[in-house]
């Protein structure tokens, strides 16, 4: 089933901490493979990064929408909840679709929808005939939910394609690279979002990302391929949970691969907690800075803080990948545990808010920790335990649960803040970070187990070379 235990039907925490990780398998690729893969992942990563701009831009229009239409936090939260709920359910259902049609096609489909519905959201500013009440609010909630549906294809597509191009021993570090690229899209909207809504009408914070996504979708069409075989390169035996499987890739196969594995189910539960903390922080922190700390979005302090938050996310992804591959020998869950622990500490500081400086430092560290968890679980564990044949389905389950958790921070958190104020914000998320950390302890040594031995010598000689070495830091598993 893709995890290291003879009895694959047992629940993992009865045994997983007793499993001693095997020696590391390192892979060296020939030049032609490396060059073509670089074109593939750079284009795909930048496309996903651009789509992040078309997802996190709403937080910068949050206050403007309230000011323009007289909506309170609960009503703005309804837009957020609609989008995150649809994203969560869509990711689960669209995962098997992406596994079936391929990541390239799924990414193009998702990017097209992102462009259309970001434009339609911005155009809502000109629909005065809808009034300023429930009808207009329903329009915005519907359009943003549809944007979320198409956005749900982005992570699935990225994971699906990369699972065929990266050996399991490389995935931690490369997921770090992808995580940093994704954070780049978030960084760009953080850098320009406040400026756009200050210098231009708020709708431009939706029009600009739509144009960037369209440009990257065109590059994806021309440069991205699903697998090495599609580029006339030798197939790479990635040695993940689907290596050696001969079953056809259909809905029954991918659901069985993911839903009968207790490790993937446990990670999915942890990702629900991740989503509540991540989106509770990301969707509301610009407004927190406006109302609780009395900083304008164009102020130098806010801009520096926002830049630091994003850079910390990039650094967190890199640190997580290096720790996973080089310190924890391909295990993802110990790194996620560390991330959850840091989140608990940071949210406690935000709760007490001893000073603006302390809050800003906690924000930066929290972003670092959230990125560690996200890159390890949604970004890497989905490839490992779903395998390249079911990677999109695993990612859909993980990412879907994360966004369903995030859905609670829309109406629920908006109502809470409206009634109890910003003092309730930090403590409302601490317990969920702690639950995620405990679940990671149960899976401390979980790692994928291929169903077949490494690829045959002829295949390796034509494009790849494997070498097995003793793993460093042996004492960590004892």
């Amino acid at each position: 089933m893709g995890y290291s235990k003879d009895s694959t039907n047992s629940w993992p925490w009865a045994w997983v901490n007793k499993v001693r990780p095997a020696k590391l398998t390192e892979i060296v690729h020939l030049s032609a493979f490396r060059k073509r893969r670089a074109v593939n992942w750079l284009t795909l990563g930048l496309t996903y990064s651009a789509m992040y701009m078309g997802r996190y831009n709403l937080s910068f229009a949050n206050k403007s929408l309230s000011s323009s239409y007289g909506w309170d936090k609960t009503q703005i939260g309804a837009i957020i909840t609609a989008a995150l709920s649809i994203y969560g359910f869509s990711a689960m259902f669209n995962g098997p679709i992406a596994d079936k049609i391929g990541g390239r096609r799924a990414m193009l489909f998702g990017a097209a929808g992102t462009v259309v519905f970001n434009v339609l959201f911005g155009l809502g500013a000109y629909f005065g005939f809808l009034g300023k009440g429930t009808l207009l609010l329903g329009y915005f909630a519907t359009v943003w939910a549809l944007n979320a549906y198409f956005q749900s294809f982005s992570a699935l597509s990225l994971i699906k394609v990369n699972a065929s191009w990266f050996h399991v021993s490389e995935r931690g570090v490369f997921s770090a690279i992808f995580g940093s690229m994704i954070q780049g899209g978030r960084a760009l909207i953080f850098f320009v979002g406040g400026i756009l809504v200050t210098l231009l009408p708020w709708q431009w914070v939706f029009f600009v990302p739509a144009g960037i996504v369209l440009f990257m979708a065109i590059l994806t069409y021309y440069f991205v391929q699903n697998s090495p075989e599609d580029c006339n390169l030798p197939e790479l035996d990635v040695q993940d949970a689907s290596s050696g499987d001969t079953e056809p890739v259909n809905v029954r196969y991918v659901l069985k691969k993911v839903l009968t594995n207790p490790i993937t189910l446990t990670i999915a539960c942890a990702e629900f907690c991740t989503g509540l903390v991540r989106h509770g922080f990301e969707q509301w922190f610009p407004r927190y800075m406006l109302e609780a700390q009395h900083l304008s979005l164009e102020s130098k302090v806010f801009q520096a803080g926002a830049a630091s938050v994003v850079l910390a996310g990039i650094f967190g992804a890199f640190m997580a990948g290096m720790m996973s591959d080089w310190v924890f020998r391909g295990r993802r869950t110990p790194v996620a545990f560390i991330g959850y622990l840091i989140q608990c500490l940071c949210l406690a500081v935000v709760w007490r808010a001893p000073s603006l400086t302390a809050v800003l430092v906690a924000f930066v560290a929290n972003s670092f920790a959230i990125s560690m968890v996200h890159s390890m679980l949604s970004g890497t564990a989905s490839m490992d335990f779903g395998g390249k044949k079911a990677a999109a389905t695993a990612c859909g389950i993980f990412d879907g649960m994360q966004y369903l958790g995030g859905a609670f921070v829309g109406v629920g958190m908006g109502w809470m803040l409206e009634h109890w104020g910003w003092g309730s914000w930090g403590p409302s998320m601490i317990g969920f970070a702690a639950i995620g950390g405990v679940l990671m302890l149960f899976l401390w040594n979980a790692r994928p187990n291929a169903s077949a031995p490494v690829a045959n010598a002829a295949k390796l000689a034509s494009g790849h070379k494997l070498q097995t070495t003793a793993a460093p830091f042996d004492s960590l598993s004892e």
Side-chain angles (χ1 to χ4, degrees):
M1 275 305 157
Y3 48 96
S4 300
K5 181 65 178 173
D6 294 334
S7 176
T8 56
N9 295 319
S10 59
W11 196 249
W13 46 72
W15 50 262
V16 74
N17 287 324
K18 299 178 182 179
V19 178
R20 181 179 178 85
K23 293 181 178 180
L24 287 176
T25 300
E26 298 177 356
I27 188 164
V28 179
H29 304 291
L30 297 186
S31 176
F33 181 90
R34 293 198 309 272
K35 290 178 180 178
R36 186 61 186 85
R37 185 174 69 174
V39 171
N40 217 66
W41 67 256
L42 274 171
T43 307
L44 196 65
L46 290 173
T47 302
Y48 188 22
S49 178
M51 290 180 72
Y52 251 52
M53 292 188 66
R55 185 187 311 178
Y56 286 97
N57 44 355
L58 177 62
S59 63
F60 287 89
N62 188 316
K63 180 66 173 177
S64 297
L65 290 171
S66 288
S67 301
S68 298
Y69 304 113
W71 296 335
D72 62 20
K73 296 183 182 70
T74 305
Q75 290 171 300
I76 297 296
I79 301 174
I80 298 171
T81 289
L84 296 180
S85 298
I86 291 298
Y87 187 108
F89 286 114
S90 299
M92 293 182 184
F93 287 107
N94 291 338
I97 295 174
D99 276 319
K100 182 66 176 177
I101 68 175
R104 175 179 179 271
R105 186 180 298 176
M107 180 65 88
L108 291 172
F109 183 66
T114 296
V115 171
V116 169
F117 288 104
N118 265 269
V119 170
L120 288 177
F121 196 98
L123 290 176
Y126 307 104
F127 292 170
F129 59 88
L130 294 178
K132 294 186 176 181
T134 304
L135 192 58
L136 183 62
L137 180 64
Y139 170 82
F140 282 129
T142 301
V143 168
W144 206 239
L146 290 170
N147 175 60
Y149 172 79
F150 286 94
Q151 284 274 348
S152 72
F153 279 97
S154 57
L156 312 178
S157 306
L158 182 84
I159 297 301
K160 178 63 177 176
V161 174
N162 286 343
S164 294
W165 285 90
F166 293 96
H167 187 268
V168 68
S169 65
E170 306 172 288
R171 289 175 176 174
V173 172
F174 270 95
S175 288
I177 295 173
F178 276 101
S180 66
M181 293 174 70
I182 292 166
Q183 292 291 336
R186 184 167 162 239
L188 190 55
I189 196 62
F190 274 28
F191 289 144
V192 305
I195 297 173
L196 286 173
V197 297
T198 301
L199 300 180
L200 297 170
W202 63 261
Q203 54 267 34
W204 283 93
V205 84
F206 297 92
F207 294 153
V208 171
I212 295 174
V213 173
L214 177 60
F215 175 73
M216 290 310 307
I218 295 171
L219 295 184
T220 296
Y221 177 81
Y222 283 106
F223 294 115
V224 172
Q225 293 296 335
N226 286 321
S227 66
E229 306 93 279
D230 292 337
C231 303
N232 297 316
L233 292 168
E235 179 183 357
L236 172 63
D237 185 350
V238 295
Q239 287 293 287
D240 61 18
S242 65
S243 292
D245 285 355
T246 58
E247 298 179 55
V249 179
N250 52 36
V251 173
R252 180 179 179 274
Y253 169 84
V254 295
L255 291 179
K256 178 183 176 183
K257 176 67 70 175
V258 175
L259 297 181
T260 61
N261 186 336
I263 293 177
T264 58
L265 296 178
T266 305
I267 292 175
C269 293
E271 281 288 75
F272 180 90
C273 300
T274 301
L276 197 144
V277 176
R278 177 188 177 195
H279 293 284
F281 172 69
E282 293 178 346
Q283 296 291 342
W284 290 101
F285 100 85
R287 190 156 186 173
Y288 169 87
M289 299 302 284
L290 280 168
E291 296 182 355
Q293 299 296 335
H294 309 294
L295 287 174
S296 64
L297 296 183
E298 68 273 15
S299 71
K300 291 183 178 180
V301 175
F302 177 83
Q303 290 291 327
S308 299
V309 163
V310 175
L311 292 174
I314 295 173
F315 185 59
F318 270 106
M319 182 63 69
M322 291 186 291
M323 289 173 64
S324 174
D325 280 358
W326 301 342
V327 178
F328 293 106
R329 295 175 294 181
R331 289 175 290 154
R332 320 305 179 188
T333 49
V335 181
F337 168 78
I338 295 172
Y340 282 123
L341 180 61
I342 296 173
Q343 287 174 34
C344 290
L345 298 175
C346 294
L347 292 170
V349 173
V350 173
W351 176 17
R352 305 310 301 171
S355 66
L356 175 59
T357 300
V359 168
L360 288 174
V361 171
F363 275 7
V364 171
N366 195 48
S367 178
F368 173 88
I370 289 172
S371 184
M372 288 179 69
V373 174
H374 181 60
S375 64
M376 285 296 95
L377 299 186
S378 289
T380 313
S382 53
M383 287 190 284
D384 290 351
F385 295 108
K388 70 177 182 180
K389 291 185 177 181
T393 300
C395 180
I397 297 295
F398 298 167
D399 225 28
M401 288 295 289
Q402 181 192 154
Y403 276 81
L404 288 179
F408 283 86
V409 310
V411 171
M413 189 166 283
W415 181 91
M416 179 192 73
L417 295 174
E418 200 69 45
H419 288 79
W420 296 335
W422 287 106
S424 64
W425 188 46
S428 69
M429 297 179 278
I430 292 176
F432 292 94
I435 292 171
V438 170
L439 291 175
M440 294 301 97
L441 285 176
F442 286 128
L443 301 181
W444 188 263
N445 280 328
R447 54 190 299 164
N449 183 39
S451 303
V454 293
N456 60 65
K459 183 180 293 185
L460 291 177
S462 61
H464 317 280
K465 181 176 68 174
L466 291 173
Q467 56 188 26
T468 302
T469 60
F473 310 105
D474 280 345
S475 60
L476 290 172
S477 66
E478 294 179 343

